Amino acid sequence: KFLEKVGYEKLSIRKICVEADISVGKFYTYFKNKHELLSHFYNIALKDFDQKLKSEDFSNLSLHEKITEFYGIYMEFTQSFGVEFVMHYFDSQNEEMDIHSNNNHIMMVTDQFITEAIQKGYILPEGRSVHEISIDLCMIVKGIIFTWVAERGRFDLPAVTRDMYKRALVGILPA
């Protein structure tokens, strides 16, 4: 809420510390910069997202339906942060956005869904690995997020994502 009120560009470490009633030195004990603070809040919320995922029943869904619903839920989660937060969290300075990182949570879940489908008999398109397909899917979602931010949140992020994945999966993961 404070970020939305002040705006990221005007948000200084000093303002954060005044709002949180802590010293600047204390802030730097835990965070290198305000971007790292955003990541901290995002990662705390990611635990709630994981709990929501655990409560979802994906067992009777096809691979396409699982992926579509997963990314839709992920976008509900993302949209809940608001445009200002998302604009500054999903940027090139954030190392967690690296699709080649072993810590990319969304990639890990996507890999898991595809791997489970393979164990049940799904055959990957020739010449494509599980991880390469997950990269494709993560790149699509980042493009949707970028467009949502550029449009200042003027469309329903989860609905557009679900619609986009229904269309894109036909080519990326043929049935």
Side-chain angles (χ1 to χ4, degrees):
K1 300 293 177 201
F2 184 64
L3 174 63
E4 288 176 14
K5 183 174 87 177
V6 175
Y8 188 83
E9 299 305 322
K10 294 180 182 176
L11 183 66
S12 67
I13 302 301
R14 185 163 308 288
K15 286 180 183 176
I16 292 169
C17 292
V18 167
E19 182 71 16
D21 195 27
I22 62 168
S23 70
V24 172
K26 188 72 161 176
F27 176 90
Y28 284 112
T29 299
Y30 296 102
F31 308 105
K32 292 182 210 167
N33 52 43
K34 63 185 179 181
H35 199 84
E36 202 171 270
L37 177 65
L38 288 183
S39 291
H40 174 74
F41 282 118
Y42 184 85
N43 287 324
I44 288 171
L46 200 54
K47 293 176 184 167
D48 291 336
F49 173 71
D50 283 339
Q51 289 301 338
K52 170 131 177 79
L53 278 183
K54 288 177 184 171
S55 72
E56 294 291 321
D57 183 11
F58 293 102
S59 63
N60 294 322
L61 300 179
S62 70
L63 177 58
H64 284 198
E65 291 168 332
K66 281 182 185 181
I67 290 172
T68 299
E69 189 54 25
F70 166 68
Y71 278 96
I73 293 168
Y74 177 59
M75 290 307 210
E76 290 168 4
F77 168 74
T78 300
Q79 185 172 277
S80 73
F81 284 94
V83 172
E84 185 75 18
F85 181 97
V86 172
M87 177 188 311
H88 296 287
Y89 179 76
F90 287 88
D91 76 5
S92 62
Q93 302 302 311
N94 186 345
E95 294 174 4
E96 293 183 29
M97 294 295 105
D98 182 357
I99 56 177
H100 300 290
S101 166
N102 290 329
N103 297 325
N104 189 309
H105 188 70
I106 303 309
M107 290 281 293
M108 290 188 291
V109 174
T110 306
D111 283 354
Q112 177 187 341
F113 281 152
I114 298 169
T115 300
E116 288 170 0
I118 290 168
Q119 291 167 349
K120 293 178 181 176
Y122 180 80
I123 300 171
L124 287 180
E126 191 171 326
R128 303 286 293 162
S129 72
V130 169
H131 195 66
E132 289 169 331
I133 292 168
S134 293
I135 287 171
D136 292 348
L137 297 173
C138 281
M139 289 174 68
I140 291 169
V141 85
K142 287 178 185 180
I144 297 168
I145 291 169
F146 176 84
T147 304
W148 181 73
V149 166
E151 294 284 327
R152 301 299 294 167
R154 285 189 280 251
F155 61 83
D156 183 337
L157 188 58
V160 166
T161 300
R162 286 180 174 102
D163 184 53
M164 178 69 74
Y165 274 83
K166 284 176 187 172
R167 288 181 280 131
L169 286 168
V170 172
I172 296 171
L173 288 169

